[in-house]
Amino acid sequence: MIIALAQMNSHIGNFDKNVEKIINWTKKAKKNNADLVVFPELALCGYPPQDLLDRKSFWKKNEESLEYLKKKLPKDIGVIVGSIREKRYNSALFFYDGRVKHQDKTLLPTYDVFDERRYFFPTEEWTVFEFKGKHLFLTVCEDIWDNYSFNPFDRVENYDLLINISASPFEVGKLQKRHKLLKEICKRESCLGIYVNMVGANDEIIFDGTSFAFDENGELLLQSHGFIEEMVYLNTEQQIQPIQKEIHPFDRLEKALVMGISDYFSKTGFKKAVIGLSGGMDSAMVLALASKALGNENVKAILMPGPYSTDHSVTDAKKLCENLKVEYFIIDINPIYEQMLMSLKKIFNNTKKDITEENIQSRIRGNVLMAYSNKFSALVLNTGNKSELSTGYCTLYGDMAGALAVIGDIYKTEVYELARYINKYARFDLIPENIIKKAPSAELAPDQKDEDSLPPYDILDPILYEYLEKNKSAEEISQNYDFSLDLVNDVIHKVFRSEYKRIQAPIVLKVSSKAFGSGRRIPI
């Protein structure tokens, strides 16, 4: 049997486009002599549809699309498509010879970004389908994960092909977890296993694709590329040599962020982006990623030197724009800042300068970016990293402005590592070395450094990681890292105190196991 693994980028609610893609890909698979083509979880309506599932019109359009598929799909090729189904089921639908069978999802996740029990019912009915001499058992995403007291495949016997259709979000290291899961199942159940994952980004969630197959010995037989739409083929009757796929984690991280930007723009209908370029590491990284995602002709940079900006910040930012061939503008914010202080003089009379004056500079820059955004329909890309967002080292309505927080799920130390990786594979200092090696600074006060307000990032980031992503207590973190308890508690207090800011932040592209966004629900 020849099986096509069709990792598809679905557009949520765009049934006509998704249907057209499913039909065209099926016809292509048939031309390549495939017996069966497998599409991802909820490929028909897109994932996650969220409260669109409360709309009768959404279900009506889904039913019409299923009827259309039933008529238009070739009758002599099996087609497995993820779809919602009557009575609110998340299902794998099996089209063949003009008929449709189904296997509904059993395990409905409610952790992190998932909230499936809000929308779907679980099934307790499982069927093995006989198809062209093979016995197929269909599972949907979570059904093969080992977070539960049982899994559906434990309750079913006599199948030799396990198929899992997924919409599994990307996070660093997630592919290895998926491999381990399916490998162990295939060895234990003595079956061939096929995993077809969605690709593309919807809002904060990024799907990496990277579909694969394991044999009954737990050997990896096939793996598609990540972060692109692709259809790959597996011949179950052919002797296939096991493969080894080692992919650098920063290669996957860069591709994930690029896809996150690209799909956010393409699926919302925008084409242009604008970025406030400071000459620092974070804005440099976002500019590099955005120019790759959207094309350098669609990205503009605005340099906004203020009273405490250094000359090298401007020259470094210019050099980066030249390397990326991105057009830039320079707007001196000093006159605006002085006028602002003059206007506030009566109110601020007899007060000392403090963080207020720093934040005014940041908010002026935010205003400039939003003015450009409005005038030229260019979305502002936010440049804050996870370390800053965690601790509140950012200004509401200033440097927190933007439609999308591109690196808001990457700690500062990781931003530097990613920059060096990008430069290594560019084979020159695409991101100028001076940007990478200089001490981080917001440049909002004389000789300011980030370490004036925060612990060094190589200390701060491990504390944040253990607290946010591993749910460790202050005492555990202090003991594990030999950090003082006062230091750890001070960092955690900063996280607590900044919750009101994060609730107003742009959506953050999720690339870790716990990002700020829908997957982290903390009371203010």
Side-chain angles (χ1 to χ4, degrees):
M1 183 187 294
I2 298 175
I3 304 171
L5 286 65
Q7 63 180 39
M8 172 181 158
N9 187 342
S10 296
H11 190 174
I12 294 175
N14 193 342
F15 287 96
D16 293 342
K17 182 178 179 180
N18 296 340
V19 163
E20 180 184 14
K21 196 175 287 186
I22 290 166
I23 292 171
N24 288 341
W25 281 33
T26 300
K27 289 178 178 177
K28 181 181 177 183
K30 183 184 173 185
K31 282 183 180 178
N32 287 318
N33 300 314
D35 301 285
L36 179 67
V37 57
V38 185
F39 291 91
E41 178 182 15
L42 295 193
L44 183 57
C45 67
Y47 191 96
Q50 298 178 320
D51 283 3
L52 292 175
L53 291 168
D54 291 335
R55 297 181 177 271
K56 290 181 180 178
S57 57
F58 192 82
W59 285 87
K60 183 173 183 289
K61 185 65 177 177
N62 188 80
E63 288 304 312
E64 291 170 354
S65 300
L66 287 175
E67 283 301 312
Y68 188 78
L69 282 176
K70 192 174 176 181
K71 292 176 184 174
K72 296 294 183 180
L73 284 174
K75 302 290 190 292
D76 53 350
I77 180 173
V79 183
I80 296 170
V81 178
S83 172
I84 55 176
R85 195 180 71 80
E86 61 187 27
K87 298 181 182 177
R88 292 203 173 221
Y89 289 106
N90 179 348
S91 299
L93 301 185
F94 190 1
F95 294 81
Y96 183 62
D97 196 24
R99 290 172 292 176
V100 187
K101 299 176 182 180
H102 67 268
Q103 175 61 61
D104 300 323
K105 189 172 184 177
T106 303
L107 304 174
L108 304 177
T110 55
Y111 58 88
D112 197 49
V113 296
F114 303 109
D115 202 4
E116 290 202 23
R117 281 191 176 271
R118 177 183 175 103
Y119 305 108
F120 299 119
F121 297 129
T123 188
E124 292 183 0
E125 298 178 359
W126 307 289
T127 305
V128 173
F129 300 104
E130 189 172 351
F131 178 71
K132 296 194 174 183
K134 296 284 185 184
H135 292 87
L136 282 56
F137 183 47
L138 308 185
T139 57
V140 182
C141 201
E142 197 78 6
D143 288 344
I144 66 167
W145 286 80
D146 54 8
N147 305 327
Y148 303 85
S149 57
F150 83 99
N151 295 90
F153 54 81
D154 292 330
R155 305 294 177 91
V156 178
E157 296 178 346
N158 301 322
Y159 59 88
D160 45 24
L161 177 55
L162 175 70
I163 296 176
N164 184 266
I165 61 171
S166 280
S168 178
F170 167 80
E171 65 186 56
V172 174
K174 185 82 167 284
L175 179 59
Q176 288 77 12
K177 294 177 185 176
R178 296 184 198 134
H179 276 188
K180 184 174 182 289
L181 276 170
L182 196 60
K183 177 179 182 177
E184 290 178 354
I185 294 168
C186 290
K187 288 173 71 175
R188 187 170 68 248
E189 304 295 327
S190 296
C191 68
L192 179 67
I194 291 174
Y195 182 98
V196 180
N197 192 30
M198 184 173 284
V199 70
N202 291 320
D203 298 351
E204 68 193 300
I205 305 175
I206 299 165
F207 302 101
D208 56 303
T210 327
S211 304
F212 54 84
F214 276 91
D215 69 14
E216 61 273 12
N217 298 314
E219 299 286 357
L220 182 63
L221 299 178
L222 175 77
Q223 183 166 291
S224 67
H225 293 93
F227 307 101
I228 60 168
E229 283 193 310
E230 185 177 34
M231 188 155 59
V232 294
Y233 298 86
L234 177 71
N235 188 335
T236 63
E237 311 307 322
Q238 209 171 60
Q239 187 67 33
I240 303 171
Q241 288 296 319
I243 62 170
Q244 296 294 324
K245 280 276 189 177
E246 290 294 331
I247 308 171
H248 196 289
F250 281 110
D251 177 72
R252 288 178 61 76
L253 178 59
E254 182 192 12
K255 285 181 170 133
L257 295 171
V258 168
M259 171 170 275
I261 299 168
S262 175
D263 271 22
Y264 187 90
F265 277 73
S266 65
K267 291 179 179 179
T268 55
F270 286 90
K271 291 181 170 54
K272 299 176 183 176
V274 61
I275 294 164
L277 198 61
S278 67
M281 184 68 258
D282 297 327
S283 60
M285 175 59 68
V286 174
L287 189 69
L289 294 168
S291 62
K292 192 167 187 177
L294 305 173
N296 52 12
E297 71 279 6
N298 292 315
V299 182
K300 307 300 178 191
I302 301 181
L303 287 59
M304 294 169 279
Y308 308 109
S309 298
T310 57
D311 291 340
H312 63 73
S313 289
V314 176
T315 56
D316 290 343
K318 284 172 150 183
K319 177 63 176 171
L320 175 68
C321 290
E322 290 165 6
N323 289 350
L324 294 169
K325 297 180 173 55
V326 167
E327 185 180 11
Y328 65 88
F329 311 98
I330 300 178
I331 297 177
D332 182 359
I333 69 164
N334 277 290
I336 308 172
Y337 178 61
E338 292 300 328
Q339 182 59 56
M340 191 77 168
L341 294 181
M342 186 65 68
S343 300
L344 291 166
K345 189 173 182 180
K346 287 183 181 179
I347 301 173
F348 286 2
N349 191 32
N350 296 324
T351 61
K352 293 181 179 179
K353 280 191 174 183
D354 56 18
I355 196 172
T356 306
E357 283 76 13
E358 295 183 26
N359 287 341
I360 287 171
Q361 297 168 64
S362 181
R363 290 185 177 118
I364 289 169
R365 291 180 173 123
N367 262 306
V368 171
L369 290 169
M370 291 310 302
Y372 186 95
S373 174
N374 289 162
K375 184 64 70 176
F376 298 103
S377 296
L379 293 182
V380 176
L381 291 181
N382 181 270
T383 61
N385 63 63
K386 193 170 188 174
S387 308
E388 295 171 347
L389 197 55
S390 299
T391 55
Y393 193 62
C394 44
T395 304
L396 268 176
Y397 325 120
D399 61 346
M400 289 182 70
L404 184 68
V406 175
I407 58 171
D409 197 25
I410 305 178
Y411 297 108
K412 185 77 167 187
T413 49
E414 293 176 309
V415 178
Y416 282 102
E417 289 181 71
L418 182 57
R420 294 204 179 279
Y421 175 84
I422 288 172
N423 281 357
K424 178 181 176 181
Y425 281 86
R427 296 185 178 178
F428 78 107
D429 288 345
L430 181 71
I431 298 173
E433 179 63 21
N434 197 48
I435 290 177
I436 297 174
K437 72 182 184 182
K438 65 186 174 186
S441 170
E443 295 189 336
L444 297 173
D447 299 317
Q448 187 180 50
K449 299 287 184 291
D450 288 5
E451 289 185 16
D452 299 339
S453 304
L454 299 172
Y457 286 112
D458 58 355
I459 294 174
L460 175 64
D461 289 352
I463 295 173
L464 292 173
Y465 172 77
E466 292 291 329
Y467 178 69
L468 295 170
E469 296 179 42
K470 295 299 181 181
N471 288 316
K472 295 289 179 64
S473 67
E475 290 77 11
E476 288 174 307
I477 298 169
S478 174
Q479 290 170 8
N480 292 345
Y481 284 87
D482 200 26
F483 297 146
S484 78
L485 187 58
D486 286 344
L487 170 66
V488 177
N489 274 323
D490 182 61
V491 170
I492 292 174
H493 181 64
K494 283 180 167 65
V495 176
F496 282 162
R497 200 170 56 183
S498 305
E499 204 64 52
Y500 79 99
K501 284 188 180 183
R502 286 189 293 273
I503 204 72
Q504 301 177 70
I507 67 167
V508 174
L509 290 180
K510 173 181 163 58
V511 293
S512 76
S513 60
K514 187 59 68 176
F516 294 119
S518 64
R520 185 177 184 272
R521 305 174 192 183
I522 301 294
I524 294 172

